[in-house]
């Protein structure tokens, strides 16, 4: 089930999901700062357990997908697709023209999802992501929401 994030009941769950999936996970205060900045967010649940989330910031007719996360054992089962589909639908309703995001160069699963959803590679950011021993480049993808 997809629903809007409830920060009071979901925050601890999001922090745990981040710790399970990210090398440099967001802390609780980062989630709160994103919401304070006006981010929209949704969670996806299976049997009343939050297994994924997405955060999107809209500004000046553009949207930046800040974070999308699916619990490891639920990856590659369509949940990320559902979250992204919902977010893109909401963005189109709000007349957002373009959505963009960054993804680790090594994250082949996410890159495949973004390409499947019609995102195209528009650039890269060198040394964008923290790693344990070095930094990793980010690939920047975008989708024109004014097109079909």
């Amino acid at each position: 089930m997809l629903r809007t994030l409830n920060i009071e009941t979901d925050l601890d769950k999001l922090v745990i999901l981040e710790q399970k999936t990210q090398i440099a996970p967001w802390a609780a205060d980062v989630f709160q700062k994103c919401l304070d900045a006006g981010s929209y967010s949704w969670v996806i649940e299976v049997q009343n357990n939050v297994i994924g989330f997405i955060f999107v910031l809209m500004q000046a007719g553009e949207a930046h997908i800040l974070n999308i996360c699916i619990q490891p054992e639920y990856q590659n089962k369509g949940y990320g697709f559902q979250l992204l589909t919902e977010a893109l639908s909401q963005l189109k309703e709000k007349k957002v023209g373009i959505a963009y995001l960054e993804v680790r160069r090594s994250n082949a699963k996410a890159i495949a999802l973004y390409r499947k959803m019609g995102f195209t590679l528009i650039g890269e950011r060198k040394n964008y992501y923290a790693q344990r021993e070095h930094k990793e480049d980010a690939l920047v993808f975008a989708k024109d929401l004014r097109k079909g």
Side-chain angles (χ1 to χ4, degrees):
M1 175 183 86
L2 269 166
R3 65 173 173 79
T4 303
L5 173 84
N6 179 329
I7 195 68
E8 287 82 29
T9 60
D10 295 331
L11 181 59
D12 291 341
K13 298 169 190 172
L14 302 187
V15 171
I16 291 168
L17 276 172
E18 272 286 287
Q19 291 170 345
K20 287 182 179 180
T21 60
Q22 301 299 321
I23 293 167
W26 283 10
D29 67 318
V30 176
F31 287 103
Q32 188 61 59
K33 286 177 184 173
C34 288
L35 292 171
D36 292 346
S39 292
Y40 291 83
S41 56
W42 297 271
V43 297
I44 192 161
E45 295 177 315
V46 172
Q47 298 175 340
N48 295 319
N49 294 315
V50 174
I51 59 119
F53 64 84
I54 189 168
F55 274 72
V56 181
L57 183 62
M58 290 181 260
Q59 294 178 321
E62 295 183 349
H64 185 183
I65 298 169
L66 301 172
N67 198 341
I68 183 168
C69 178
I70 300 293
Q71 190 169 314
E73 55 268 31
Y74 291 96
Q75 291 178 2
N76 297 313
K77 297 182 189 233
Y79 295 110
F81 181 86
Q82 288 178 47
L83 277 171
L84 203 48
T85 298
E86 176 66 19
L88 294 175
S89 174
Q90 295 289 328
L91 294 172
K92 286 180 183 180
E93 283 183 23
K94 295 182 184 318
K95 307 293 186 215
V96 171
I98 190 166
Y100 64 95
L101 56 85
E102 293 88 9
V103 60
R104 288 178 187 275
R105 181 182 296 279
S106 64
N107 193 342
K109 291 177 188 177
I111 291 168
L113 171 63
Y114 303 143
R115 288 187 188 281
K116 177 181 176 180
M117 305 273 316
F119 283 80
T120 55
L121 180 65
I122 61 166
E124 66 180 83
R125 299 186 198 283
K126 293 287 188 189
N127 301 314
Y128 186 78
Y129 288 107
Q131 295 281 92
R132 287 184 180 93
E133 297 170 10
H134 63 283
K135 293 196 178 233
E136 183 175 358
D137 297 344
L139 299 178
V140 182
F141 283 82
K143 179 178 174 90
D144 186 341
L145 300 177
R146 297 165 293 206
K147 297 179 181 176

